[in-house]
Amino acid sequence: AVVSTQSTGILGHNRDTSVGIDPDIHIGGAFKGIEHEFTEQLTDDGLVLKQMMKPGSGPIVPSRAWVKIHYSSYAEGHDEPIDSSRLRARPHDFILGDGVNIMAVDIAVASMKKKEKARFLADARYCYGKMGVPPRIPTNARLLFDIEVLHFVDENMINEYDTLSADDRRDIPQDKILILAAELREKGNENFRKNPKVAYNSYMKAVRVLEGHSPNNEQEEVQLQGEKIKTLLNLAQSCLEHNKTVDCRRYAGEAASLLNNEAVKNCFKSGKAHYIIHKSYVKEQKLREAKRALEEAVRHVPDDVAIRAAFDKLENAQARENALERDRMGRWGEDGLERL
């Protein structure tokens, strides 16, 4: 139960109990017996406490970041969670500080890093208050939360870049540019299925951020190209999904061209670029062009099972098309007129 009672309600309805909760979590009984394990105090009044289970990496989740977590919440004396994203096999995502969650969860997540797992013990005043949400959440109930931060995207960094002048953008160190581009690419990945327009715009913006930066040396140039190749391939795949076949070939072709550079050469990525190009031609029913692109993909990754299977499938389709063409030609006379 992490969602604020002022939003859409409590998560946890229609739970799929075929998906287990975190096997390392065993609650049940009174919280008083485990209070000493929560050694970090997150609020001045000591009513939200933290126990680190697995350290994360990188910076702490900033305010206004888009966050994706798994969680389970427990009421005192209950062995089973009162709510769990794990049981639903669907992570919970939100903008930190938007008021979607109860206070305890926002306070907890604001103390965490990417891939971190932790437990939190929170007083009713930071959860559902004296009234609770009967019968699911008792009155004046303390809750225990098991939370794992799967990923987050720092929207502040993205928004701040938009406000900078061209001169200020040129002064940004490359390590920050690479982080920003990676954040945008990950935002695109997260929205690839559920919000394709956001995904496409995120990839495009990442490419522009990278193209707007001038590296200071050869090493920086290699790093910049490596990030751009990954983003271009995702952008091409996004175009392919929405039948923008010409744009798809443009971006995949640009990635393939960059991959000709020995410093960033990667046979798998080159094969992927040509494989995407082949798929764009297949969508247009241009089988000869598709075959040429696929031959390039095979040249780079000859042992790839998926590419080999696509090649066999394409050859069969082309054989069928050739047979139909020969059949049509056989019905023509010397004068080129159709016969019965």
Side-chain angles (χ1 to χ4, degrees):
V2 302
V3 175
S4 166
T5 52
Q6 296 178 350
S7 62
T8 56
I10 299 171
L11 294 177
H13 52 282
N14 299 325
R15 294 188 297 176
D16 178 3
T17 54
S18 66
V19 181
I21 62 170
D22 188 332
D24 297 330
I25 302 301
H26 302 287
I27 309 297
F31 291 162
K32 285 186 178 179
I34 59 172
E35 279 179 344
H36 66 281
E37 298 174 6
F38 294 80
T39 56
E40 187 176 348
Q41 184 174 303
L42 298 184
T43 56
D44 292 338
D45 54 19
L47 297 180
V48 181
L49 304 172
K50 177 177 180 178
Q51 177 193 15
M52 175 74 73
M53 303 299 291
K54 177 186 171 185
S57 61
I60 290 173
V61 180
S63 176
R64 306 300 303 166
W66 173 86
V67 193
K68 182 164 70 171
I69 67 171
H70 259 316
Y71 72 90
S72 296
S73 56
Y74 301 81
E76 196 160 12
H78 290 70
D79 290 318
E80 295 296 320
I82 56 176
D83 188 27
S84 175
S85 66
R86 294 185 184 277
L87 286 176
R88 289 189 299 280
R90 188 175 70 249
H92 173 50
D93 63 280
F94 56 93
I95 301 294
L96 183 61
D98 249 10
V100 172
N101 303 318
I102 57 175
M103 281 194 294
V105 171
D106 273 3
I107 291 169
V109 172
S111 75
M112 301 180 73
K113 298 179 179 181
K114 197 174 293 184
K115 304 301 180 183
E116 179 180 331
K117 293 173 72 173
R119 291 181 188 176
F120 303 87
L121 190 58
D123 186 83
R125 278 167 277 190
Y126 289 91
C127 299
Y128 292 94
K130 292 182 180 180
M131 300 298 292
V133 187
R136 196 166 181 76
I137 301 171
T139 58
N140 206 33
R142 284 197 299 176
L143 298 180
L144 189 149
F145 299 94
D146 157 46
I147 299 176
E148 177 183 6
V149 174
L150 302 173
H151 188 73
F152 70 84
V153 172
D154 188 354
E155 294 284 349
N156 299 305
M157 185 187 298
I158 295 171
N159 294 335
E160 183 183 355
Y161 181 86
D162 289 336
T163 66
L164 297 176
S165 67
D167 288 338
D168 288 337
R169 289 177 183 178
R170 280 192 287 270
D171 290 337
I172 301 174
Q174 173 146 319
D175 60 336
K176 295 287 175 54
I177 288 291
L178 294 175
I179 291 171
L180 175 58
E183 292 284 334
L184 285 162
R185 179 163 49 82
E186 190 58 35
K187 183 178 179 180
N189 294 349
E190 291 295 335
N191 285 281
F192 189 80
R193 296 293 181 198
K194 63 183 179 182
N195 197 332
K197 187 175 181 180
V198 171
Y200 175 84
N201 289 339
S202 297
Y203 295 140
M204 281 297 301
K205 187 171 181 180
V207 170
R208 292 193 187 106
V209 166
L210 294 167
E211 289 178 342
H213 179 74
S214 298
N216 294 314
N217 52 54
E218 189 175 334
Q219 182 181 1
E220 286 195 354
E221 176 69 26
V222 170
Q223 292 175 333
L224 203 69
Q225 286 190 6
E227 184 62 38
K228 187 178 180 182
I229 287 164
K230 289 187 283 188
T231 307
L232 284 168
L233 289 173
N234 287 12
L235 179 57
Q237 190 67 46
S238 175
C239 292
L240 182 67
E241 288 288 312
H242 301 96
N243 298 315
K244 296 179 179 179
T245 51
V246 175
D247 286 342
C248 170
R249 289 194 289 274
R250 172 188 166 193
Y251 299 126
E254 188 176 347
S257 179
L258 289 172
L259 284 159
N260 288 328
N261 182 344
E262 285 294 328
V264 292
K265 200 164 188 175
N266 181 306
C267 288
F268 175 78
K269 285 190 172 69
S270 294
K272 183 177 181 181
H274 290 289
Y275 180 72
I276 292 171
I277 292 170
H278 129 266
K279 291 180 76 173
S280 75
Y281 281 125
V282 169
K283 277 183 176 283
E284 296 175 356
Q285 295 295 306
K286 296 178 179 178
L287 300 188
R288 288 178 177 81
E289 292 87 343
K291 186 178 180 181
R292 282 197 292 269
L294 207 50
E295 285 170 344
E296 274 296 301
V298 171
R299 187 172 68 83
H300 288 287
V301 276
D303 298 325
D304 188 277
V305 175
I307 290 176
R308 277 291 177 188
F311 192 83
D312 292 341
K313 183 179 178 181
L314 189 60
E315 283 207 314
N316 291 336
Q318 197 166 16
R320 288 194 299 272
E321 185 184 81
N322 291 340
L324 288 171
E325 184 66 20
R326 285 194 300 271
D327 183 60
R328 284 194 295 269
M329 291 292 291
R331 295 198 303 269
W332 291 359
E334 293 182 359
D335 53 12
L337 299 177
E338 288 279 357
R339 305 302 180 194
L340 292 177

